[in-house]
Amino acid sequence: MNIKKQLRNLYLYEIISGFQIVDAVWVLFFLERGFSIAQAGVAEGFFHVISMCCEIPSGMLSDMIGRRKTLILSGIFSAAGSFCMIATDCFWVILIAMGLNAFSYNLVSGTREALTYDSLLEGGLEEWYLKVSSIQENIYLGIFTMTNLLSVVTVALGYRKAYFISIMQGILSSFVAMRLSEVNVGIEKKKEKLTCADIRRELISYTGQSLGFLKKNPSVCRRMLLGGIVASGCYIVNMMMQEHLVSCGLKAGWIGVPLLFISIFSMVGAALAGKTEQVQLKKLMFMGSLAAGLFIAVSSSTVIVVSVFAAGMAHAAEEVLMLRIESENQRVFSSEIRATMASVSSMAYSVFMVILSPLTGWAAEKLSVETAFGGLGILVAGAGMILCRKPQSGVDKHSRKL
């Protein structure tokens, strides 16, 4: 494998996948179409129900058929989801669109990380992973930030034209995935074609290996749980901030400006993550979750500048924490089940989103944004204090830093 060419294509994939012009304003489009903020929470919750159910199977699929084919399928499902978004205003069809987008997310989740790590492993450069993943994250966030700048244009285009662009983005991402090379690490004995019996046997095998791994590595489970809570809390804030800032006096067409600043904070956090290898992981997890929880709570401020700054700081803390946790976990995952285990980690995030997204939406609508964000912040900070409170006994040798 030409590792330089592979990395270039992986970076190109990040550029295309980051061009999500609708993500920054989807809640505004949703409300403009006559739906309520509570329905937005239900739709987001449904997204994560599907994501939760399909997360591990999608990881197993990636391990079975290969990372490249899985990324190609992801783009196809993404395009299909965007098409459903403009096909009708029926809420149930919107939920189907959310489900298709969730499955597309599942197919990428874990697969991209597994392909990156195994590509480096095949070239004997696995120690580069934290640096490379930090670059990937910054590319994605940089493109996403650029799309936030286009939010005024996106809103002006309207949801139909915006989602049509998303359809094209999904198709293009599949074409870019075709340029990637499949890795040979851990798949030398796999068949080109799998029968139904082979698939069932593989699923049973992957399930057994995954459960055995988690049982032997409790520190990894704790990292997955903490990462899921912090990531879900920060994402919910980003989603709810769209309406919150408008209610504080910001014009809807300019929503991309504060989201731009939040994305810049995320990029700074991703860059800093690559410089934390010498920091004890347990200390980083404790301080990162505490900071994220505090700033999530402060994000409810009615002063726009304070709200945006706090949300940005929460996202910066999240990026540092998540990239470091992912890097530590990749070191102990075996190549045969790498995508599956990465999907288990993502499933933790989906489980928390299924619970917290509709709950936070309800609290924001029935009580107040301050109550919703305050409770979310306490949960995130409390999770860090609980999961990092005591050192683990009998931890595997790869997880001594926890």
Side-chain angles (χ1 to χ4, degrees):
M1 176 190 296
N2 186 330
I3 189 62
K4 291 184 178 180
K5 180 180 178 182
Q6 182 78 336
L7 289 177
R8 284 197 301 269
N9 286 328
L10 284 168
Y11 294 152
L12 178 60
Y13 186 84
E14 295 298 328
I15 292 174
I16 302 301
S17 60
F19 193 73
Q20 303 280 351
I21 66 167
V22 178
D23 282 12
V25 294
W26 83 268
V27 175
L28 290 178
F29 279 151
F30 201 76
L31 298 177
E32 287 177 359
R33 296 171 72 175
F35 300 109
S36 68
I37 188 64
Q39 285 178 305
V42 171
E44 185 68 22
F46 182 77
F47 175 98
H48 292 284
V49 167
I50 299 300
S51 180
M52 178 182 65
C53 294
C54 298
E55 191 68 70
I56 294 179
S58 68
M60 292 179 176
L61 179 68
S62 176
D63 285 327
M64 283 192 289
I65 71 173
R67 328 292 194 210
R68 177 175 170 272
K69 292 178 182 178
T70 304
L71 292 178
I72 293 172
L73 286 175
S74 173
I76 295 172
F77 277 97
S78 176
S82 295
F83 174 78
C84 287
M85 276 292 191
I86 60 178
T88 178
D89 287 330
C90 175
F91 185 63
W92 295 106
V93 177
I94 298 297
L95 291 182
I96 292 174
M98 296 295 284
L100 290 172
N101 283 321
F103 190 59
S104 171
Y105 163 82
N106 288 148
L107 292 172
V108 174
S109 174
T111 300
R112 178 175 50 194
E113 294 85 352
L115 180 59
T116 301
Y117 191 90
D118 281 338
S119 295
L120 293 171
L121 182 62
E122 189 171 301
L125 301 170
E126 61 271 22
E127 69 277 3
W128 287 14
Y129 180 74
L130 183 57
K131 178 181 178 181
V132 171
S133 63
S134 178
I135 293 173
Q136 287 178 301
E137 186 71 4
N138 262 325
I139 291 174
Y140 179 87
L141 290 172
I143 299 299
F144 187 74
T145 298
M146 183 186 72
T147 61
N148 285 339
L149 281 174
L150 297 174
S151 63
V152 176
V153 178
T154 304
V155 172
L157 285 173
Y159 77 92
R160 290 187 181 277
K161 292 180 180 178
Y163 277 111
F164 178 77
I165 294 174
S166 292
I167 293 173
M168 295 297 101
Q169 182 268 341
I171 295 173
L172 184 57
S173 67
S174 290
F175 278 109
V176 173
M178 293 178 185
R179 294 168 54 91
L180 294 167
S181 299
E182 189 60 83
V183 295
N184 296 316
V185 176
I187 63 170
E188 293 84 357
K189 297 181 180 180
K190 294 189 183 296
K191 298 179 181 180
E192 286 292 325
K193 296 182 179 180
L194 294 173
T195 65
C196 291
D198 290 331
I199 292 175
R200 184 177 63 180
R201 188 163 49 249
E202 290 286 327
L203 288 174
I204 294 173
S205 175
Y206 286 134
T207 301
Q209 291 181 64
S210 300
L211 291 175
F213 175 86
L214 292 174
K215 184 177 180 180
K216 294 177 182 178
N217 295 270
S219 59
V220 173
C221 295
R222 292 163 72 88
R223 293 199 290 259
M224 288 179 174
L225 288 174
L226 183 60
I229 293 174
V230 173
S232 59
C234 288
Y235 183 82
I236 289 172
V237 166
N238 192 64
M239 181 181 72
M240 297 294 181
M241 282 287 283
Q242 296 176 36
E243 188 195 27
H244 174 57
L245 293 177
V246 171
S247 68
C248 290
L250 184 70
K251 291 184 178 180
W254 293 97
I255 191 68
V257 176
L259 295 180
L260 164 65
F261 284 103
I262 294 174
S263 296
I264 291 174
F265 275 94
S266 295
M267 293 174 66
V268 172
L272 290 175
K275 304 180 184 299
T276 64
E277 289 184 322
Q278 302 305 315
V279 180
Q280 186 183 29
L281 182 58
K282 180 182 176 182
K283 183 184 297 184
L284 185 69
M285 289 170 61
F286 178 80
M287 296 303 297
S289 58
L290 195 64
L294 173 63
F295 286 116
I296 283 173
V298 179
S299 298
S300 64
S301 172
T302 54
V303 180
I304 293 178
V305 174
V306 175
S307 179
V308 173
F309 175 79
M313 289 296 292
H315 280 75
E318 178 210 1
E319 287 295 334
V320 172
L321 190 61
M322 295 303 295
L323 285 173
R324 179 64 188 279
I325 286 176
E326 180 193 323
S327 177
E328 293 294 327
N329 287 346
Q330 289 290 349
R331 295 181 182 182
V332 295
F333 294 161
S334 67
S335 296
E336 290 80 2
I337 59 169
R338 189 178 305 283
T340 301
M341 294 311 305
S343 293
V344 171
S345 181
S346 295
M347 191 185 74
Y349 164 74
S350 295
V351 169
F352 289 116
M353 281 298 299
V354 167
I355 299 170
L356 296 177
S357 180
L359 183 60
T360 306
W362 175 86
E365 183 171 347
K366 301 297 183 181
L367 302 175
S368 67
V369 172
E370 290 81 2
T371 301
F373 282 18
L376 200 57
I378 291 172
L379 175 64
V380 170
M385 295 175 67
I386 293 173
L387 293 174
C388 300
R389 184 176 55 184
K390 294 181 180 180
Q392 292 293 295
S393 58
V395 180
D396 61 280
K397 66 178 181 179
H398 298 286
S399 304
R400 291 176 182 170
K401 292 184 180 181
L402 180 55

